[in-house]
Amino acid sequence: MGNELQTAFINYKQGNYATAWDLCQHILKTTPIQPDCLAMLGMMSNKAERYADAEKYLRKCLFFHPKKHIILTELATSLVYLEKYDEAEKMLNQSMDINSNYEK
């Protein structure tokens, strides 16, 4: 699985989202709770404007990485588009408490 995850991440970073998506989905079939795949799927869902899907993936990921500011910020982005403003603000505040220098 390590090789597949690394390949998925490389494809994600290169903007090859379809390949990264397929690899993450394949990994999740054998390892249903793989936080890095959940994070990538959440971020790709945000990019595709599939905010409800992004929220689902990022919430699962957040369970394993509750202090990861990038996940909190991505989840907040989803929540804004889903008009869950109070919760989005909470997530952004948590993210800024962890890393106030993050530009997004």
XYZ file of all heavy atoms in Angstrom:
847
model
N 0.813 -1.195 0.000
C 0.000 0.000 0.000
C 0.856 1.259 0.000
O 0.486 2.262 -0.581
C -0.944 0.012 1.193
C -1.819 1.254 1.192
S -2.815 1.501 2.643
C -1.604 1.811 3.884
N 2.015 1.235 0.633
C 2.874 2.401 0.714
C 3.225 2.972 -0.644
O 3.235 4.187 -0.839
N 3.534 2.095 -1.586
C 3.849 2.521 -2.951
C 2.656 3.191 -3.615
O 2.806 4.212 -4.276
C 4.283 1.305 -3.781
C 5.728 1.396 -4.183
O 6.411 2.360 -3.877
N 6.183 0.365 -4.868
N 1.469 2.598 -3.443
C 0.258 3.170 -4.037
C -0.044 4.544 -3.442
O -0.412 5.461 -4.164
C -0.939 2.251 -3.807
C -0.995 1.061 -4.722
C -2.221 0.231 -4.455
O -2.463 -0.122 -3.291
O -2.947 -0.058 -5.434
N 0.122 4.661 -2.138
C -0.140 5.940 -1.477
C 0.828 7.006 -1.967
O 0.438 8.130 -2.264
C -0.048 5.785 0.040
C -0.359 7.028 0.857
C -1.764 7.534 0.572
C -0.194 6.718 2.336
N 2.086 6.641 -2.089
C 3.091 7.583 -2.596
C 2.772 7.984 -4.032
O 2.855 9.158 -4.396
C 4.486 6.960 -2.517
C 5.585 7.905 -2.927
C 6.970 7.282 -2.776
O 7.118 6.094 -2.554
N 7.983 8.107 -2.905
N 2.372 7.033 -4.847
C 2.010 7.321 -6.235
C 0.775 8.220 -6.293
O 0.720 9.159 -7.102
C 1.764 6.016 -7.015
O 2.946 5.212 -6.941
C 1.433 6.283 -8.471
N -0.202 7.960 -5.429
C -1.395 8.811 -5.370
C -1.006 10.234 -5.001
O -1.478 11.197 -5.620
C -2.389 8.253 -4.359
N -0.133 10.384 -4.015
C 0.291 11.710 -3.581
C 1.041 12.450 -4.694
O 0.790 13.630 -4.943
C 1.159 11.607 -2.326
C 1.551 12.943 -1.772
C 0.614 13.749 -1.147
C 2.853 13.400 -1.885
C 0.969 14.994 -0.639
C 3.216 14.641 -1.383
C 2.273 15.438 -0.757
N 1.925 11.749 -5.382
C 2.669 12.365 -6.491
C 1.695 12.837 -7.568
O 1.802 13.955 -8.077
C 3.721 11.382 -7.060
C 4.860 11.198 -6.053
C 4.252 11.861 -8.413
C 5.787 10.039 -6.373
N 0.736 11.989 -7.905
C -0.254 12.366 -8.923
C -1.094 13.548 -8.463
O -1.393 14.445 -9.252
C -1.141 11.169 -9.285
C -0.495 10.279 -10.305
O -0.530 10.562 -11.491
N 0.143 9.213 -9.847
N -1.456 13.576 -7.183
C -2.216 14.703 -6.645
C -1.411 15.993 -6.778
O -1.924 17.001 -7.252
C -2.577 14.434 -5.176
C -3.204 15.629 -4.515
C -4.542 15.937 -4.734
C -2.461 16.464 -3.702
C -5.123 17.046 -4.153
C -3.033 17.574 -3.116
C -4.364 17.869 -3.345
O -4.927 18.980 -2.772
N -0.156 15.952 -6.367
C 0.694 17.144 -6.431
C 0.896 17.620 -7.870
O 1.054 18.807 -8.113
C 2.056 16.878 -5.778
C 1.981 16.736 -4.275
C 1.415 17.962 -3.649
C 2.407 18.653 -2.797
N 1.847 19.797 -2.077
N 0.892 16.695 -8.829
C 1.083 17.047 -10.233
C -0.227 17.446 -10.925
O -0.225 17.787 -12.093
C 1.718 15.877 -10.987
C 3.140 15.596 -10.561
C 3.727 14.358 -11.229
O 3.020 13.523 -11.786
N 5.047 14.242 -11.162
N -1.324 17.405 -10.179
C -2.607 17.777 -10.754
C -3.294 16.667 -11.528
O -4.291 16.911 -12.206
N -2.789 15.471 -11.407
C -3.406 14.306 -12.058
C -4.465 13.735 -11.105
O -4.308 12.662 -10.537
C -2.360 13.243 -12.392
C -1.298 13.770 -13.315
O -1.582 14.570 -14.202
N -0.068 13.338 -13.105
N -5.544 14.488 -10.927
C -6.524 14.170 -9.900
C -7.276 12.871 -10.164
O -7.573 12.136 -9.217
C -7.497 15.333 -9.703
C -6.802 16.608 -9.300
C -6.989 17.783 -10.020
C -5.945 16.639 -8.205
C -6.344 18.948 -9.650
C -5.293 17.809 -7.837
C -5.504 18.957 -8.563
O -4.859 20.112 -8.192
N -7.576 12.574 -11.392
C -8.317 11.339 -11.693
C -7.509 10.116 -11.274
O -8.044 9.189 -10.659
C -8.680 11.273 -13.173
N -6.229 10.126 -11.566
C -5.364 9.003 -11.180
C -5.228 8.936 -9.666
O -5.339 7.854 -9.071
C -3.977 9.139 -11.840
O -4.149 9.175 -13.260
C -3.071 7.982 -11.463
N -5.019 10.075 -9.036
C -4.902 10.110 -7.578
C -6.196 9.617 -6.930
O -6.167 8.847 -5.964
C -4.565 11.518 -7.099
N -7.325 10.055 -7.476
C -8.630 9.643 -6.955
C -8.782 8.126 -7.024
O -9.153 7.473 -6.055
C -9.741 10.332 -7.744
C -11.111 10.021 -7.249
C -11.892 8.943 -7.560
C -11.866 10.799 -6.313
N -13.083 9.007 -6.896
C -13.088 10.132 -6.121
C -11.622 11.990 -5.640
C -14.072 10.616 -5.277
C -12.598 12.481 -4.792
C -13.807 11.798 -4.615
N -8.492 7.563 -8.197
C -8.627 6.111 -8.391
C -7.713 5.341 -7.443
O -8.130 4.328 -6.863
C -8.330 5.727 -9.834
C -9.402 6.202 -10.813
O -10.524 6.547 -10.361
O -9.118 6.241 -12.024
N -6.488 5.809 -7.289
C -5.559 5.128 -6.391
C -6.042 5.193 -4.941
O -5.989 4.187 -4.221
C -4.156 5.726 -6.510
C -3.397 5.362 -7.781
C -2.187 6.274 -7.970
C -2.963 3.898 -7.737
N -6.523 6.344 -4.523
C -7.034 6.475 -3.153
C -8.246 5.586 -2.931
O -8.365 4.928 -1.889
C -7.381 7.928 -2.843
S -5.936 8.963 -2.554
N -9.131 5.541 -3.895
C -10.303 4.666 -3.777
C -9.883 3.201 -3.674
O -10.443 2.441 -2.889
C -11.257 4.879 -4.966
C -11.948 6.213 -4.972
C -12.946 6.377 -3.835
O -13.393 5.423 -3.206
N -13.285 7.612 -3.550
N -8.887 2.822 -4.454
C -8.380 1.447 -4.408
C -7.774 1.141 -3.036
O -8.022 0.075 -2.471
C -7.347 1.233 -5.520
C -6.746 -0.131 -5.504
N -7.433 -1.240 -5.929
C -5.533 -0.560 -5.082
C -6.657 -2.311 -5.776
N -5.496 -1.917 -5.273
N -6.997 2.058 -2.515
C -6.386 1.869 -1.199
C -7.467 1.724 -0.127
O -7.380 0.867 0.761
C -5.430 3.031 -0.868
C -4.207 2.976 -1.784
C -5.009 3.011 0.601
C -3.347 4.233 -1.771
N -8.512 2.552 -0.206
C -9.572 2.511 0.805
C -10.379 1.216 0.761
O -11.000 0.851 1.763
C -10.491 3.716 0.660
C -9.887 5.058 1.060
C -10.886 6.188 0.833
C -9.403 5.059 2.502
N -10.349 0.519 -0.360
C -11.037 -0.782 -0.430
C -10.353 -1.804 0.466
O -10.998 -2.670 1.035
C -11.097 -1.283 -1.868
C -12.113 -0.561 -2.700
C -12.152 -1.092 -4.116
C -13.139 -0.267 -4.928
N -13.117 -0.626 -6.339
N -9.031 -1.711 0.573
C -8.294 -2.663 1.411
C -8.018 -2.109 2.808
O -7.872 -2.866 3.750
C -6.963 -3.063 0.744
O -6.182 -1.892 0.514
C -7.200 -3.792 -0.563
N -7.933 -0.793 2.917
C -7.688 -0.128 4.199
C -8.706 1.011 4.312
O -8.411 2.150 3.957
C -6.254 0.442 4.256
O -5.335 -0.581 3.865
C -5.907 0.923 5.657
N -9.928 0.696 4.798
C -11.013 1.680 4.774
C -10.712 2.995 5.508
O -11.290 4.018 5.174
C -12.172 0.949 5.443
C -11.846 -0.486 5.313
C -10.359 -0.586 5.310
N -9.842 2.942 6.465
C -9.507 4.165 7.192
C -8.028 4.465 6.951
O -7.165 4.061 7.723
C -9.784 4.013 8.703
C -11.228 3.608 8.956
C -9.449 5.300 9.422
C -12.259 4.613 8.484
N -7.749 5.155 5.875
C -6.385 5.579 5.556
C -6.422 7.105 5.530
O -6.888 7.707 4.553
C -5.960 4.982 4.222
C -4.477 4.767 4.005
C -3.597 5.969 4.302
O -3.949 7.110 4.068
N -2.419 5.707 4.812
N -5.967 7.765 6.619
C -6.121 9.214 6.747
C -5.573 10.039 5.583
O -6.188 11.020 5.179
C -5.390 9.546 8.044
C -5.369 8.273 8.811
C -5.326 7.188 7.784
N -4.434 9.648 5.035
C -3.859 10.425 3.935
C -4.721 10.345 2.678
O -4.883 11.339 1.965
C -2.431 9.975 3.640
C -1.491 10.270 4.797
O -1.694 11.309 5.467
O -0.577 9.474 5.043
N -5.303 9.179 2.425
C -6.226 9.051 1.289
C -7.484 9.873 1.545
O -7.975 10.549 0.636
C -6.613 7.598 1.068
S -5.361 6.641 0.220
N -7.991 9.819 2.758
C -9.184 10.603 3.092
C -8.920 12.094 2.896
O -9.765 12.823 2.370
C -9.610 10.316 4.528
C -10.111 8.896 4.794
C -10.269 8.663 6.299
C -11.413 8.626 4.063
N -7.737 12.544 3.299
C -7.375 13.961 3.129
C -7.321 14.328 1.649
O -7.876 15.355 1.233
C -6.031 14.253 3.800
N -6.653 13.507 0.849
C -6.561 13.805 -0.586
C -7.932 13.803 -1.240
O -8.242 14.691 -2.042
C -5.643 12.803 -1.288
C -4.180 13.135 -1.163
S -3.133 12.104 -2.224
C -2.976 10.636 -1.213
N -8.770 12.827 -0.893
C -10.112 12.773 -1.465
C -10.919 14.006 -1.055
O -11.663 14.563 -1.870
C -10.827 11.489 -1.031
C -10.293 10.205 -1.648
C -10.896 8.994 -0.954
C -10.559 10.156 -3.141
N -10.758 14.440 0.171
C -11.452 15.644 0.624
C -10.994 16.874 -0.127
O -11.811 17.696 -0.561
N -9.695 17.021 -0.292
C -9.175 18.188 -0.999
C -9.563 18.166 -2.478
O -9.920 19.205 -3.048
C -7.671 18.290 -0.811
C -7.301 18.669 0.623
S -5.557 18.981 0.899
C -4.963 17.314 1.141
N -9.538 16.981 -3.082
C -9.948 16.876 -4.489
C -11.440 17.147 -4.632
O -11.866 17.766 -5.607
C -9.579 15.510 -5.058
C -8.088 15.357 -5.311
S -7.647 13.809 -6.136
C -7.776 12.630 -4.791
N -12.231 16.712 -3.663
C -13.668 16.986 -3.703
C -13.927 18.487 -3.608
O -14.803 19.012 -4.307
C -14.389 16.251 -2.573
O -14.331 14.853 -2.768
N -13.170 19.183 -2.760
C -13.303 20.645 -2.697
C -12.989 21.264 -4.052
O -13.712 22.140 -4.524
C -12.381 21.242 -1.626
C -13.067 21.431 -0.301
O -14.283 21.349 -0.183
N -12.284 21.693 0.728
N -11.912 20.823 -4.682
C -11.526 21.369 -5.981
C -12.608 21.128 -7.036
O -12.806 21.938 -7.933
C -10.205 20.768 -6.454
C -9.000 21.263 -5.684
C -7.719 20.637 -6.209
C -6.513 21.003 -5.405
N -6.222 22.405 -5.287
N -13.300 19.991 -6.899
C -14.362 19.645 -7.849
C -15.715 20.241 -7.441
O -16.726 19.950 -8.075
C -14.472 18.125 -7.959
N -15.708 21.058 -6.404
C -16.916 21.696 -5.887
C -17.946 20.675 -5.421
O -19.162 20.890 -5.503
C -17.509 22.669 -6.909
C -16.549 23.789 -7.262
C -17.081 24.762 -8.288
O -18.234 24.588 -8.756
O -16.338 25.700 -8.626
N -17.464 19.573 -4.900
C -18.315 18.534 -4.307
C -18.148 18.644 -2.791
O -17.513 17.817 -2.156
C -17.897 17.166 -4.845
C -18.146 17.034 -6.338
C -17.588 15.778 -6.938
N -17.965 14.603 -6.193
C -17.394 13.409 -6.357
N -16.458 13.244 -7.250
N -17.789 12.387 -5.635
N -18.724 19.685 -2.250
C -18.444 20.080 -0.874
C -19.002 19.105 0.167
O -18.370 18.900 1.206
C -18.935 21.505 -0.624
C -18.295 22.472 -1.584
C -19.046 23.125 -2.556
C -16.919 22.704 -1.557
C -18.447 23.995 -3.449
C -16.318 23.569 -2.456
C -17.086 24.208 -3.397
O -16.491 25.061 -4.283
N -20.141 18.500 -0.096
C -20.679 17.519 0.853
C -19.767 16.304 0.932
O -19.514 15.773 2.021
C -22.100 17.115 0.464
N -19.244 15.871 -0.217
C -18.288 14.751 -0.219
C -17.005 15.155 0.501
O -16.454 14.381 1.280
C -17.955 14.326 -1.651
C -19.108 13.651 -2.355
O -20.010 13.112 -1.679
O -19.119 13.666 -3.606
N -16.551 16.368 0.232
C -15.335 16.852 0.886
C -15.516 16.854 2.400
O -14.631 16.402 3.139
C -14.990 18.260 0.393
N -16.656 17.340 2.853
C -16.916 17.363 4.294
C -16.832 15.958 4.875
O -16.204 15.743 5.915
C -18.292 17.974 4.575
C -18.624 17.991 6.054
C -20.033 18.449 6.369
O -20.881 18.536 5.450
O -20.293 18.727 7.553
N -17.440 14.997 4.201
C -17.441 13.608 4.678
C -16.016 13.065 4.807
O -15.636 12.535 5.850
C -18.267 12.746 3.717
C -18.286 11.267 4.053
C -19.038 10.470 3.011
C -18.209 10.425 1.738
N -18.687 9.528 0.708
N -15.225 13.219 3.767
C -13.856 12.698 3.788
C -12.997 13.422 4.831
O -12.233 12.796 5.563
C -13.191 12.835 2.421
C -13.753 11.918 1.362
C -14.270 12.433 0.177
C -13.754 10.533 1.526
C -14.778 11.597 -0.806
C -14.261 9.690 0.548
C -14.776 10.230 -0.617
O -15.271 9.392 -1.587
N -13.124 14.725 4.890
C -12.272 15.503 5.794
C -12.644 15.290 7.256
O -11.768 15.278 8.123
C -12.324 16.984 5.418
C -11.696 17.295 4.055
C -12.066 18.688 3.598
C -10.182 17.100 4.089
N -13.906 15.082 7.547
C -14.303 14.771 8.929
C -13.701 13.439 9.373
O -13.238 13.293 10.496
C -15.813 14.746 9.074
C -16.420 16.122 9.138
C -17.873 16.056 9.573
N -18.509 17.335 9.434
C -18.408 18.334 10.302
N -17.646 18.189 11.375
N -19.045 19.468 10.098
N -13.722 12.455 8.481
C -13.111 11.158 8.810
C -11.617 11.325 9.045
O -11.056 10.755 9.976
C -13.361 10.141 7.690
C -14.768 9.627 7.639
C -14.916 8.604 6.515
C -16.341 8.133 6.386
N -16.508 7.181 5.268
N -10.969 12.095 8.209
C -9.537 12.340 8.344
C -9.236 13.082 9.642
O -8.272 12.774 10.335
C -9.023 13.132 7.145
S -7.260 13.468 7.238
N -10.066 14.044 9.980
C -9.865 14.867 11.174
C -9.887 14.033 12.447
O -9.210 14.352 13.420
C -10.928 15.966 11.230
C -10.685 17.124 12.162
C -9.389 17.841 11.798
C -11.852 18.095 12.100
N -10.633 12.933 12.420
C -10.660 12.030 13.568
C -9.252 11.530 13.881
O -8.882 11.368 15.035
C -11.610 10.857 13.292
C -11.694 9.889 14.424
C -12.484 10.173 15.528
C -10.977 8.698 14.396
C -12.555 9.279 16.595
C -11.046 7.798 15.447
C -11.833 8.087 16.548
N -8.450 11.297 12.856
C -7.088 10.777 13.018
C -6.052 11.890 13.150
O -4.968 11.671 13.685
C -6.723 9.861 11.847
C -7.595 8.652 11.781
C -8.702 8.629 10.951
C -7.344 7.560 12.588
C -9.530 7.529 10.916
C -8.166 6.455 12.559
C -9.272 6.429 11.720
N -6.362 13.060 12.624
C -5.444 14.201 12.665
C -6.165 15.451 13.173
O -6.339 16.421 12.430
C -4.876 14.484 11.266
C -4.057 13.389 10.687
N -2.867 12.975 11.246
C -4.255 12.600 9.602
C -2.370 11.990 10.524
N -3.187 11.737 9.525
N -6.586 15.452 14.439
C -7.383 16.585 14.936
C -6.615 17.898 15.033
O -7.219 18.957 15.139
C -7.838 16.109 16.317
C -6.837 15.086 16.716
C -6.380 14.432 15.444
N -5.312 17.846 14.970
C -4.493 19.059 15.107
C -3.796 19.443 13.806
O -2.850 20.210 13.806
C -3.437 18.861 16.197
C -3.996 18.518 17.551
C -4.457 19.746 18.252
C -4.894 19.386 19.673
N -5.692 20.388 20.268
N -4.252 18.918 12.693
C -3.628 19.227 11.404
C -4.340 20.430 10.785
O -5.478 20.329 10.337
C -3.695 18.007 10.490
C -2.624 17.977 9.452
C -2.511 16.601 8.835
C -1.214 16.501 8.082
N -1.021 15.179 7.527
N -3.664 21.566 10.790
C -4.298 22.814 10.368
C -4.787 22.792 8.930
O -5.801 23.410 8.592
C -3.372 24.008 10.609
C -2.181 24.038 9.711
N -2.190 24.733 8.529
C -0.968 23.450 9.812
C -1.006 24.571 7.932
N -0.259 23.799 8.696
N -4.119 22.084 8.060
C -4.533 22.031 6.655
C -5.888 21.339 6.529
O -6.754 21.794 5.778
C -3.464 21.324 5.793
C -2.195 22.166 5.770
C -3.971 21.060 4.385
C -0.991 21.489 5.165
N -6.086 20.274 7.279
C -7.360 19.556 7.248
C -8.469 20.446 7.801
O -9.561 20.522 7.237
C -7.271 18.231 8.030
C -6.163 17.333 7.473
C -8.620 17.510 8.027
C -6.264 17.025 6.000
N -8.182 21.137 8.900
C -9.170 22.051 9.478
C -9.560 23.151 8.484
O -10.737 23.476 8.338
C -8.622 22.669 10.769
C -8.495 21.724 11.956
C -7.567 22.308 13.008
C -9.864 21.431 12.547
N -8.583 23.688 7.788
C -8.851 24.755 6.820
C -9.634 24.231 5.622
O -10.574 24.882 5.151
C -7.527 25.409 6.360
O -6.842 25.896 7.517
C -7.768 26.554 5.398
N -9.267 23.071 5.134
C -10.006 22.482 4.010
C -11.442 22.180 4.411
O -12.371 22.425 3.637
C -9.315 21.198 3.527
C -8.077 21.433 2.717
C -8.347 22.022 1.332
O -9.407 21.749 0.728
O -7.490 22.766 0.847
N -11.628 21.661 5.629
C -12.975 21.380 6.106
C -13.769 22.683 6.233
O -14.937 22.747 5.849
C -12.931 20.627 7.431
C -14.277 20.291 8.059
C -15.189 19.540 7.098
C -14.063 19.484 9.337
N -13.135 23.718 6.731
C -13.800 25.020 6.843
C -14.241 25.521 5.471
O -15.339 26.068 5.330
C -12.877 26.032 7.511
N -13.418 25.317 4.461
C -13.772 25.712 3.099
C -15.054 25.005 2.660
O -15.974 25.636 2.137
C -12.626 25.397 2.124
O -11.462 26.117 2.530
C -12.984 25.752 0.689
N -15.102 23.697 2.895
C -16.309 22.928 2.552
C -17.523 23.481 3.275
O -18.591 23.668 2.686
C -16.142 21.456 2.943
O -15.003 20.905 2.373
N -17.357 23.744 4.564
C -18.466 24.198 5.394
C -18.983 25.566 4.947
O -20.188 25.823 4.996
C -18.047 24.214 6.859
C -17.746 22.841 7.458
C -17.115 22.993 8.839
C -18.991 21.977 7.506
N -18.093 26.442 4.515
C -18.524 27.747 4.007
C -19.441 27.554 2.800
O -20.519 28.147 2.713
C -17.322 28.649 3.659
C -17.744 29.842 2.818
C -16.622 29.112 4.929
N -19.016 26.729 1.865
C -19.827 26.502 0.673
C -21.137 25.783 0.992
O -22.114 25.916 0.254
C -19.047 25.743 -0.390
C -18.060 26.626 -1.110
C -16.696 26.560 -0.822
C -18.493 27.548 -2.056
C -15.790 27.390 -1.472
C -17.599 28.375 -2.716
C -16.251 28.286 -2.415
O -15.366 29.122 -3.061
N -21.156 25.037 2.091
C -22.388 24.372 2.528
C -23.219 25.272 3.447
O -24.223 24.843 4.000
C -22.040 23.052 3.231
C -21.397 21.990 2.341
C -20.877 20.833 3.182
C -22.393 21.487 1.298
N -22.751 26.511 3.591
C -23.411 27.533 4.399
C -23.520 27.150 5.874
O -24.475 27.503 6.561
C -24.781 27.896 3.805
C -24.651 28.466 2.407
C -25.972 28.865 1.779
O -27.022 28.757 2.436
O -25.944 29.286 0.600
N -22.523 26.455 6.361
C -22.420 26.108 7.787
C -21.371 27.037 8.399
O -20.289 26.620 8.802
C -22.029 24.638 7.945
C -23.058 23.676 7.366
C -22.607 22.237 7.528
C -23.612 21.265 6.932
N -23.183 19.856 7.102
N -21.722 28.305 8.433
C -20.761 29.357 8.753
C -20.212 29.290 10.174
O -19.020 29.505 10.382
C -21.366 30.732 8.481
C -21.823 30.900 7.055
C -23.159 31.116 6.764
C -20.913 30.818 6.000
C -23.581 31.268 5.448
C -21.326 30.974 4.691
C -22.663 31.195 4.418
O -23.080 31.339 3.121
N -21.046 29.012 11.149
C -20.581 28.963 12.544
C -19.541 27.870 12.724
O -18.510 28.069 13.361
C -21.747 28.757 13.512
C -22.660 29.964 13.602
O -22.207 31.081 13.252
O -23.823 29.798 14.017
N -19.815 26.722 12.151
C -18.870 25.612 12.253
C -17.593 25.903 11.460
O -16.493 25.562 11.897
C -19.528 24.325 11.772
C -18.773 23.096 12.196
C -19.507 21.813 11.868
O -20.618 21.846 11.304
O -18.934 20.753 12.166
N -17.738 26.545 10.319
C -16.564 26.916 9.517
C -15.671 27.865 10.301
O -14.445 27.711 10.315
C -16.996 27.553 8.203
N -16.287 28.836 10.963
C -15.511 29.782 11.759
C -14.763 29.062 12.890
O -13.591 29.347 13.146
C -16.436 30.847 12.344
C -15.691 31.895 13.154
C -16.612 32.956 13.720
O -17.825 32.706 13.888
O -16.094 34.056 14.006
N -15.420 28.123 13.517
C -14.783 27.339 14.585
C -13.559 26.598 14.043
O -12.491 26.597 14.665
C -15.799 26.361 15.170
C -15.261 25.461 16.240
C -16.322 24.469 16.702
C -15.687 23.378 17.533
N -16.594 22.274 17.809
N -13.713 25.964 12.886
C -12.608 25.216 12.275
C -11.453 26.150 11.919
O -10.286 25.828 12.139
C -13.070 24.472 11.020
C -14.075 23.381 11.262
S -13.374 22.036 12.216
C -14.844 21.205 12.736
N -11.774 27.309 11.360
C -10.724 28.264 10.999
C -9.991 28.784 12.228
O -8.769 28.935 12.214
C -11.303 29.427 10.195
C -11.669 29.102 8.758
C -12.375 30.282 8.116
C -10.444 28.709 7.950
N -10.722 29.039 13.297
C -10.083 29.480 14.537
C -9.153 28.410 15.086
O -8.043 28.704 15.531
C -11.126 29.891 15.579
C -11.759 31.218 15.255
O -11.149 32.078 14.625
N -13.002 31.401 15.677
N -9.584 27.164 15.035
C -8.719 26.060 15.486
C -7.472 25.973 14.613
O -6.365 25.783 15.113
C -9.477 24.731 15.439
C -10.524 24.576 16.502
C -11.290 23.273 16.360
O -11.006 22.429 15.501
N -12.302 23.094 17.197
N -7.665 26.117 13.304
C -6.538 26.066 12.379
C -5.541 27.178 12.667
O -4.332 26.955 12.706
C -7.040 26.156 10.934
O -5.956 26.170 10.040
N -6.053 28.382 12.886
C -5.178 29.517 13.161
C -4.470 29.383 14.517
O -3.338 29.821 14.661
C -5.986 30.816 13.107
C -6.374 31.175 11.687
S -7.498 32.582 11.551
C -6.662 33.820 12.489
N -5.117 28.737 15.481
C -4.465 28.477 16.770
C -3.269 27.547 16.592
O -2.274 27.668 17.287
C -5.446 27.871 17.768
C -6.469 28.872 18.293
O -6.245 30.090 18.119
O -7.479 28.421 18.872
N -3.374 26.635 15.648
C -2.302 25.673 15.408
C -1.200 26.288 14.554
O -0.025 26.121 14.819
C -2.868 24.399 14.727
C -3.821 23.692 15.698
C -1.742 23.466 14.283
C -4.671 22.624 15.047
N -1.586 27.024 13.510
C -0.613 27.625 12.604
C -1.160 28.950 12.082
O -1.847 28.992 11.068
C -0.282 26.687 11.443
C 0.811 27.214 10.557
O 1.239 28.371 10.673
N 1.278 26.386 9.643
N -0.817 30.016 12.755
C -1.332 31.334 12.369
C -0.653 31.886 11.111
O -1.100 32.888 10.562
C -1.149 32.327 13.522
O 0.217 32.478 13.832
N 0.388 31.232 10.625
C 1.095 31.715 9.439
C 0.588 31.084 8.138
O 1.080 31.409 7.076
C 2.593 31.430 9.570
C 3.195 32.225 10.705
O 2.843 33.376 10.937
N 4.112 31.609 11.438
N -0.369 30.178 8.225
C -0.885 29.519 7.042
C -1.698 30.522 6.240
O -2.658 31.105 6.735
C -1.742 28.300 7.436
C -2.178 27.434 6.302
C -1.259 26.897 5.406
C -3.513 27.131 6.111
C -1.662 26.071 4.366
C -3.931 26.311 5.071
C -2.998 25.794 4.201
O -3.401 24.988 3.169
N -1.330 30.753 5.004
C -1.900 31.839 4.198
C -3.320 31.596 3.728
O -4.079 32.531 3.571
C -1.016 32.103 2.979
C 0.325 32.701 3.368
C 1.198 32.973 2.158
O 0.673 32.958 1.024
O 2.382 33.172 2.341
N -3.690 30.350 3.482
C -5.020 30.095 2.919
C -6.082 30.569 3.884
O -7.080 31.117 3.580
C -5.213 28.629 2.595
C -6.512 28.338 1.883
C -6.606 26.919 1.430
C -7.901 26.686 0.678
N -8.032 25.353 0.186
